[in-house]
Amino acid sequence: MKRFKMYSWLIGMVFVPTLLLAQTEPEEVAAIDDKFQNFFYEALKQKGIENYDKAIEALERCKELEPNNAVVYFELGKNYLSQKKYKDAYDNFEKVTQMDSKNRWAWVGMYDVCYDTHDYHQAIIIVQKLIEFKPDYKEDLTSLYMNTQQYDKALELINELNEKVGRSDKRDLYKADILRDAKYQSAEKNNLLDQIKKFPKEESNYISLIYMYSQSNQEEKALEIAKKLEKEIPTSDWAQVSLFKFHLNNNDGDNAVKAMNIVLPSKKIDPKIKHRILNEFLLFAKNNPKYEADLDKAIGYFDEDKDIKVAKEIGKFFYGKANWSKAVKYFEMHLKNAPEDMETLLLLLQAYTENNQFDALAKKSDELSQLFPTQPQFYYYAGLAYNQLKSFKKATDMLETGLDFVIEDLALEINFNIQLGEAYSGLGDMKKKEKYFTKANELINKQKK
């Protein structure tokens, strides 16, 4: 919570004159003044070296001499506050305000006591008085309302400050916390509608209202606001976010693509929203193949995305759907930018296999076995491909070399032996064929145990 600190020196304060009696002799007045000043400056000196007890003793002597001097009570308050004697500090600051209700610094002292003691309800009363001196204290009042869970008052004040002095990160966080509770959302929607009427060119109000309507499943109202935004600010990228969803729901692919192609390259739109839009368009394009080229273009907007590799994820989406040709396409697209992504390389080789693309499988796996000579999977896929292409000698060479690199991977070892059996069968070497098939069966039985 932001709060204003007390100043060490007196600002805007003056000594309250000694009350003189008509019958007092001038010599007696001078003596009293000298005593007061000596004790007062002794108090300041002791406070300066943090000897607060002696400072308080000196101030008590001052109080005896001038019991109606507000400065004395103010200094007592500061010394007690430094000692964390909060009640004594508060009482002395309050005494000053009773003597001079316009003494801002005494009110600040009372606020400091309330803040340090977490008496936020009393702090609210004090800050409301301080606002009369300085409107900036409304920021403090916002935090105090949050601390005392007076969210309706906090929301009202936040909206007032947003309109008068502009938004702040702290108030935005407060507001987001408040609006998690649905009971405050209706009032905020009305506030945003009012703000849109007052400031039709302020984009942020439209965005907030679109988001709130979307969160509460009021899609038609969200669309209505998006259209207003597009009308008032035709260049707004945010308007297209809602319009994209509307066009997809109406099966209007052409206009959905137009909206998407504005949103995805925009630097204003959060990446999470862009990913959501792409995922929604992916599902749409899956059922509407004529938009596949638009999907490919959309993926290009994410080339620099370090968090999510979009082409790879789409490849895995189609892989999971057993759409092997599409999986191959998007895995190949991803590998152009990440040629050593081992997971994607293996998924691609399996997709080639499932799609009976044995020429491509042989070429790719052969290349990979040279780039990664200790990775047995690449030798396996090369051997499998050469078997399917009836290049049995190449198959045995690749498989026998790769088998030496298989370590504690029973399933892969079984597959190697099966492919070696197939290769030697193709070469007409029945002895070795039986050797490898027998070995494969032994490993399969071992796997079952």
Side-chain angles (χ1 to χ4, degrees):
M1 181 196 300
K2 171 189 172 187
R3 67 188 180 110
F4 293 87
K5 295 289 187 182
M6 287 177 55
Y7 287 14
S8 298
W9 298 99
L10 304 181
I11 300 175
M13 294 192 67
V14 294
F15 289 122
V16 176
T18 306
L19 296 177
L20 303 179
L21 299 176
Q23 67 272 23
T24 306
E25 294 295 328
E27 292 81 1
E28 293 175 346
V29 173
I32 293 172
D33 283 348
D34 288 343
K35 282 185 179 181
F36 180 91
Q37 289 184 15
N38 288 337
F39 284 125
F40 188 80
Y41 287 115
E42 176 66 14
L44 293 180
K45 182 179 78 173
Q46 295 298 332
K47 188 184 74 170
I49 59 175
E50 299 182 1
N51 196 342
Y52 302 117
D53 284 331
K54 287 192 175 181
I56 290 169
E57 286 178 15
L59 288 167
E60 288 293 341
R61 298 298 300 275
C62 289
K63 190 166 70 171
E64 290 172 7
L65 294 168
E66 296 190 15
N68 294 317
N69 192 326
V71 176
V72 174
Y73 294 99
F74 183 74
E75 283 297 318
L76 280 166
K78 289 202 292 183
N79 279 278
Y80 282 125
L81 182 59
S82 295
Q83 291 183 317
K84 300 187 186 304
K85 293 181 177 179
Y86 295 116
K87 184 179 187 308
D88 290 329
Y90 190 93
D91 288 346
N92 278 281
F93 288 134
E94 187 176 36
K95 180 72 173 176
V96 177
T97 64
Q98 290 168 352
M99 299 169 76
D100 178 10
S101 64
K102 294 183 179 180
N103 191 310
R104 170 186 166 192
W105 299 107
W107 291 103
V108 171
M110 293 166 69
Y111 179 29
D112 283 341
V113 171
C114 293
Y115 186 88
D116 286 356
T117 57
H118 307 294
D119 187 352
Y120 298 129
H121 287 283
Q122 183 63 22
I124 288 172
I125 296 171
I126 305 300
V127 169
Q128 286 171 334
K129 181 67 178 180
L130 283 169
I131 288 169
E132 296 176 14
F133 300 106
K134 193 170 184 179
D136 288 355
Y137 277 102
K138 285 186 177 181
E139 295 287 357
D140 290 56
L141 187 56
T142 303
S143 297
L144 290 168
Y145 281 146
M146 293 298 294
N147 283 343
T148 54
Q149 299 180 349
Q150 298 183 66
Y151 299 127
D152 50 346
K153 292 181 179 179
L155 184 60
E156 183 179 351
L157 186 54
I158 288 167
N159 288 333
E160 176 191 328
L161 290 169
N162 285 352
E163 182 174 340
K164 290 182 178 178
V165 302
R167 294 169 62 172
S168 72
D169 290 341
K170 179 183 283 188
R171 277 185 264 117
D172 283 347
L173 287 173
Y174 284 158
K175 192 168 186 175
D177 283 342
I178 294 170
L179 294 178
R180 288 194 181 100
D181 189 332
K183 71 181 181 181
Y184 298 108
Q185 292 175 8
S186 178
E188 178 58 13
K189 288 173 185 174
N190 290 333
N191 169 63
L192 288 168
L193 286 168
D194 183 55
Q195 291 298 303
I196 287 170
K197 287 179 183 178
K198 289 181 180 178
F199 309 104
K201 301 299 181 183
E202 177 55 55
E203 185 183 41
S204 63
N205 293 320
Y206 295 92
I207 295 166
S208 297
L209 189 53
I210 289 168
Y211 177 79
M212 290 190 71
Y213 280 142
S214 298
Q215 289 295 102
S216 57
N217 298 316
Q218 294 176 283
E219 294 294 341
E220 287 300 318
K221 289 189 175 182
L223 176 63
E224 181 183 336
I225 300 303
K227 287 180 175 178
K228 282 186 179 180
L229 173 56
E230 186 183 34
K231 180 180 178 182
E232 291 292 343
I233 311 175
T235 58
S236 171
D237 296 340
W238 280 98
Q240 303 304 318
V241 174
S242 290
L243 292 173
F244 166 82
K245 180 70 173 178
F246 174 75
H247 294 317
L248 271 195
N249 289 342
N250 285 340
N251 208 36
D252 184 353
D254 291 345
N255 281 317
V257 167
K258 289 179 183 177
M260 180 176 68
N261 287 337
I262 292 173
V263 172
L264 295 186
S266 173
K267 294 182 179 179
K268 298 179 182 178
I269 308 300
D270 187 279
K272 291 179 181 178
I273 293 175
K274 294 182 182 182
H275 284 296
R276 188 193 74 196
I277 283 175
L278 183 66
N279 288 336
E280 291 173 351
F281 191 72
L282 168 62
L283 297 173
F284 178 78
K286 176 177 173 285
N287 298 320
N288 298 272
K290 74 174 186 173
Y291 292 104
E292 188 174 326
D294 296 298
L295 177 62
D296 294 349
K297 180 182 177 182
I299 291 170
Y301 292 122
F302 295 89
D303 283 346
E304 303 302 318
D305 192 325
K306 295 179 180 179
D307 297 322
I308 300 177
K309 305 303 180 184
V310 172
K312 176 181 178 177
E313 294 305 313
I314 292 178
K316 290 169 80 171
F317 169 82
F318 284 117
Y319 188 97
K321 301 292 183 182
N323 190 331
W324 309 115
S325 60
K326 293 281 181 64
V328 164
K329 172 183 174 179
Y330 291 106
F331 287 146
E332 288 178 337
M333 189 183 295
H334 167 70
L335 288 167
K336 287 178 182 177
N337 295 320
E340 296 186 2
D341 183 339
M342 196 63 64
E343 180 190 23
T344 306
L345 287 169
L346 293 173
L347 288 170
L348 174 63
L349 297 181
Q350 186 61 35
Y352 280 147
T353 303
E354 300 287 356
N355 208 37
N356 297 321
Q357 292 178 250
F358 297 114
D359 285 317
L361 178 63
K363 181 180 179 183
K364 188 67 176 178
S365 55
D366 206 331
E367 290 174 357
L368 291 170
S369 68
Q370 295 175 53
L371 289 171
F372 305 98
T374 62
Q375 291 293 326
Q377 294 94 333
F378 299 141
Y379 295 97
Y380 165 73
Y381 279 111
L384 184 155
Y386 285 131
N387 270 340
Q388 293 298 319
L389 296 171
K390 303 191 182 306
S391 297
F392 299 117
K393 182 63 174 68
K394 286 184 178 180
T396 59
D397 291 342
M398 297 299 292
L399 292 163
E400 286 175 343
T401 301
L403 187 58
D404 291 337
F405 298 112
V406 177
I407 300 172
E408 295 183 358
D409 189 336
L410 197 57
L412 183 59
E413 190 177 354
I414 291 168
N415 286 332
F416 262 96
N417 280 282
I418 291 172
Q419 289 302 318
L420 277 164
E422 294 286 354
Y424 279 111
S425 176
L427 291 171
D429 188 335
M430 296 300 112
K431 184 176 180 181
K432 286 191 175 180
K433 167 191 169 183
E434 289 302 320
K435 171 188 170 183
Y436 286 109
F437 280 152
T438 300
K439 179 66 174 176
N441 283 328
E442 290 174 357
L443 293 171
I444 289 169
N445 291 330
K446 181 181 177 181
Q447 190 180 45
K448 291 178 181 178
K449 293 180 180 180

